[in-house]
Amino acid sequence: MRNAVSLSAALTVFAILLVGCGGASEPDLPERRIPVPGLLVYTVGVDLWIQDENGPRLLIAAGQDQQLLHPAISPDGTRVAYVVFQLTHAEGTTIGTDLAVSNIDNPAQRVVLARDGAAEFVWNPRWTPDGEALIFTHEPVGAPISVKRLYLEHETLDLLREDARDAAIDPDGSRIVFVSSPYSGDPHLVVRRLDDGSETVLDPQRSWQPRPFRIPRFSADGGSVLFSAGQYLPQVSALALGLNGPEDIWRFDLATGELRQLAALGEDQPDFTLSEDGRHALVFGAFGAYLISTTSPEPAYAVAPGEFHGWIDWVGTISDEEWAAIREAVFELPDAAQ
């Protein structure tokens, strides 16, 4: 797993290994189809792929010694934001990441925030509800890690919170949820209002067993926070910070205080995305892609192959009829076994 003390360093090591192995081979298209309706953008090897009514296909290919990460589809479904990871010190470049945006119908990479120095990183872009800005994690050289907001039209940048990462914004744009003190070894989940800066720590007494926390997201109605977390283990050294074993998906109700495990996956730092109505979550792990219900206590359904430290975003919904068909297909026996 990646070391939370320096996510950038761990990604660099993994990425160099990936380049040394020649990258990922082109996947088999039928195996890469994820059986959900709507628009998907996800990572395959170092590239970004898209899936829509025309099936899965390459969307944007990474450049030489690069890897594309953290896709985020705009609210209107016309653009995708993502991270361009420069893996090596190529000619005229330094290791680090840039923030980029591309149209989906006519893909063309446009860097909207370029790194200023070596080993400067941006992570996890998220669109504001109006589609005018991106919030993201910024990890500059010699300065605290922070969450910032970039307005795309005017290219203006503002600070939302220092000592924070993995922020997501709620559907009405009034709050963000993030992981505070990410290098402390046992960070908190925090909800912050953007109008007055007031904050609510979701587990102030550290009574939750699942932690540390990653990639929180608001539910579609803004009433809950969903996140990935592992089983907490005592930290014995600086090198062990964040190495807390396989992770599952959890949901915390902001009104009632109920904490519920949505899926026991035991995955290695999975990514996840929510349907537009919030009723389903699509989880992208190393061992598989899983669909889970966020409203009823059902098991997770493995529906497609996964991607090692892969990333995914989705715009779509699953009807009751489609959900029933997906569950039935998961347990459908091959012809030879019938």
Side-chain angles (χ1 to χ4, degrees):
M1 293 179 64
R2 303 187 193 104
N3 190 329
V5 172
S6 180
L7 176 61
S8 57
L11 274 173
T12 301
V13 171
F14 164 67
I16 291 173
L17 290 173
L18 181 63
V19 170
C21 295
S25 60
E26 186 169 309
D28 184 18
L29 289 181
E31 292 182 355
R32 283 293 173 172
R33 176 179 288 277
I34 300 173
V36 297
L39 174 67
L40 293 169
V41 177
Y42 51 94
T43 55
V44 176
V46 298
D47 303 321
L48 287 184
W49 279 55
I50 184 174
Q51 178 183 305
D52 55 17
E53 66 275 6
N54 297 316
R57 61 195 184 276
L58 178 68
L59 177 65
I60 302 171
Q64 181 68 31
D65 295 341
Q66 291 184 345
Q67 184 178 15
L68 307 182
L69 304 167
H70 303 182
I73 302 170
S74 63
D76 62 4
T78 64
R79 294 171 292 171
V80 59
Y82 55 97
V83 168
V84 182
F85 190 178
Q86 179 64 43
L87 308 173
T88 64
H89 289 289
E91 293 183 12
T93 66
T94 57
I95 292 175
T97 60
D98 299 325
L99 186 58
V101 172
S102 172
N103 291 329
I104 288 179
D105 288 341
N106 185 23
Q109 181 167 290
R110 178 171 69 97
V111 173
V112 295
L113 186 67
R115 61 193 182 280
D116 291 330
E120 181 176 3
F121 296 90
V122 295
W123 310 111
N124 293 338
R126 298 282 187 259
W127 292 89
T128 55
D130 57 14
E132 295 181 357
L134 293 165
I135 66 172
F136 59 94
T137 302
H138 188 211
E139 193 173 2
V141 178
I145 189 171
S146 62
V147 172
K148 293 183 177 178
R149 175 172 51 196
L150 174 67
Y151 288 95
L152 296 175
E153 182 177 355
H154 306 293
E155 298 183 350
T156 56
L157 190 66
D158 57 0
L159 174 69
L160 298 183
R161 178 59 150 79
E162 283 193 345
D163 200 17
R165 64 172 171 85
D166 290 0
I169 194 163
D170 73 356
D172 67 9
S174 65
R175 299 169 297 169
I176 58 173
V177 58
F178 58 90
V179 178
S180 71
S181 304
Y183 293 162
S184 70
D186 193 10
H188 280 294
L189 276 179
V190 180
V191 172
R192 178 183 178 92
R193 291 198 60 85
L194 295 180
D195 53 2
D196 60 11
S198 60
E199 294 186 350
T200 302
V201 177
L202 301 190
D203 183 27
Q205 303 303 318
R206 301 192 189 280
S207 60
W208 296 354
Q209 176 62 21
R211 64 184 198 272
F213 316 112
R214 288 194 319 109
I215 52 172
R217 287 178 177 263
F218 282 100
S219 60
D221 62 4
S224 299
V225 169
L226 293 84
F227 58 94
S228 181
Q231 182 179 3
Y232 180 72
L233 302 174
Q235 305 297 324
V236 295
S237 71
L239 292 177
L241 293 176
L243 300 183
N244 286 275
E247 295 182 10
D248 303 317
I249 307 300
W250 298 78
R251 178 175 186 156
F252 178 70
D253 190 300
L254 295 170
T256 67
E258 177 191 15
L259 177 68
R260 182 165 69 91
Q261 186 184 54
L262 292 182
L265 301 174
E267 275 283 1
D268 181 2
Q269 293 197 330
D271 191 24
F272 75 94
T273 179
L274 300 174
S275 61
E276 290 179 281
D277 59 10
R279 298 172 59 210
H280 301 93
L282 177 60
V283 185
F284 206 36
F287 302 106
Y290 311 86
L291 273 172
I292 60 176
S293 170
T294 63
T295 59
S296 59
E298 298 186 55
Y301 297 94
V303 295
E307 175 81 6
F308 180 70
H309 287 176
W311 306 90
I312 194 166
D313 202 16
W314 171 36
V315 175
T317 58
I318 299 176
S319 68
D320 292 340
E321 293 76 15
E322 289 167 332
W323 181 237
I326 289 169
R327 289 178 295 173
E328 181 178 349
V330 168
F331 295 106
E332 185 178 4
L333 295 175
D335 291 342
Q338 290 180 352

